[in-house]
Amino acid sequence: MNKGYYLTDLDGTLLRSNASLSDYTVRVITEALEAGTVISYATARSYQSSTAVVSQIPWRYPLVLYNGALLFDPVHKHVLDGYFLDRERTEAILAIGKSRGFVPLLFALDHEDQEKVLHEKLVRTGDLQFAASRPNDPRFNEVKELSCPPHLRTLLITYIGLLEELEPLKAAVTSAFGAEIHIHMMKDNYIENHYFLEFSHPQANKQEGLLLWAKHVGCAVDKITVFGDNLNDVGMFRAAGRKIAVENAYAEILHMADEVVSSNDQDGVAAYVEARLKMGV
């Protein structure tokens, strides 16, 4: 028997502040899946990065990755659907960044749906800390001069830096492309004072990711309960039937929420899911 449809953010929501899952959360989500609950996650992370921190849970429904750019089957390990930024715009954004002294991380898929992260030599604080948090990650490939090879499909172009560094770059790309691309700026949870500035396909966002997820699991969007904390969750909150914010969420997310639960460090998501299971709804 189905016990409901849930899609949760990871960092700052399901994950604790140290990017880990509590034993309680692992137990509750696992029990929910076994009871017939359709539950999964929507994250800015890739499959490799996300599974590194949540693999204790036997996920069986599609995962929304790269902020909605990719829908991934965690059982058969293959791409189900996705939105890719065309090569022409990818190269143009790289050129705009380079003209301002910035070189990003280019996240892409090859012809076998394998994730790649191309980058030039990492020298900036944010880039170095980001890479250090993913030791021995086989996706990372250093190149002499960054470009998008024809055989790759762009998922994200990610710049990491201080807010005052990234704002002018964001303005320049916005001026050049407007609604032709999706632009997202988000404070990083783990690198002090640093932000992520991401460029992707105009439909590569969590709202569109939620719609893809609903289609693949076979439910109406208004039947889905979502959990979130950060501004990249706004799209999910706009589209979903029920919106739950953790108490550590941004003010905009708290304002949009139907209900606020305990913080990520107090297992708010798991407590909510457990309570609903006990109620039989």
Side-chain angles (χ1 to χ4, degrees), residues 45-278:
R45 290 175 179 259
S46 67
Y47 175 68
Q48 178 148 335
S49 173
S50 61
T51 198
V53 290
V54 298
S55 61
Q56 308 98 305
I57 296 171
W59 305 100
R60 61 188 68 170
Y61 298 103
L63 312 175
V64 180
L65 305 174
Y66 288 104
N67 270 333
L70 203 66
L71 197 68
F72 190 82
D73 180 346
V75 177
H76 300 100
K77 306 289 191 298
H78 69 85
V79 173
L80 295 168
D81 215 333
Y83 298 108
F84 305 97
L85 187 63
D86 65 87
R87 188 165 183 262
E88 181 180 356
R89 289 180 177 83
T90 297
E91 293 291 348
I93 293 169
L94 294 180
I96 292 172
K98 186 162 289 189
S99 72
R100 286 160 172 75
F102 294 109
V103 180
L105 301 170
L106 176 62
F107 292 83
L109 291 185
D110 67 15
H111 60 285
E112 296 180 339
D113 287 343
Q114 296 299 306
E115 298 176 51
K116 303 293 180 183
V117 184
L118 303 185
H119 60 88
E120 293 184 14
K121 183 175 176 61
L122 301 178
V123 294
R124 291 169 52 80
T125 299
D127 295 332
L128 289 168
Q129 290 192 31
F130 181 79
S133 70
R134 291 153 172 78
N136 303 314
D137 191 326
R139 297 175 303 154
F140 282 71
N141 290 272
E142 182 178 317
V143 296
K144 185 176 181 180
E145 184 170 357
L146 184 62
S147 65
C148 182
H151 69 282
L152 294 185
R153 292 162 288 164
T154 300
L155 288 162
L156 286 178
I157 303 169
T158 300
Y159 292 87
I160 306 173
L162 303 177
L163 185 62
E164 58 267 28
E165 295 175 324
L166 298 179
E167 285 284 12
L169 176 57
K170 177 184 176 185
V173 176
T174 300
S175 176
F177 294 105
E180 294 178 18
I181 60 171
H182 178 67
I183 301 175
H184 180 67
M185 179 95 81
M186 181 176 67
K187 194 175 191 306
D188 184 65
N189 288 322
Y190 310 110
I191 307 173
E192 187 176 6
N193 297 324
H194 277 65
Y195 286 73
F196 280 63
L197 174 58
E198 298 179 337
F199 303 108
S200 55
H201 186 281
Q203 290 178 274
N205 58 72
K206 284 193 179 182
Q207 181 169 339
E208 295 294 338
L210 176 69
L211 298 178
L212 282 181
W213 189 80
K215 173 184 173 183
H216 278 266
V217 300
C219 75
V221 178
D222 63 2
K223 299 298 183 183
I224 302 173
T225 297
V226 297
F227 303 90
D229 76 299
N230 213 326
L231 298 180
N232 63 332
D233 299 317
V234 166
M236 287 203 306
F237 272 49
R238 287 189 184 129
R242 186 161 183 77
K243 290 81 73 172
I244 311 296
V246 285
E247 65 180 6
N248 54 287
Y250 273 68
E252 185 172 348
I253 295 295
L254 293 170
H255 179 73
M256 296 177 71
D258 296 310
E259 185 175 339
V260 178
V261 296
S262 298
S263 74
N264 61 320
D265 287 321
Q266 296 174 311
D267 300 314
V269 173
Y272 180 92
V273 172
E274 184 176 50
R276 301 290 287 184
L277 282 174
K278 288 179 178 178

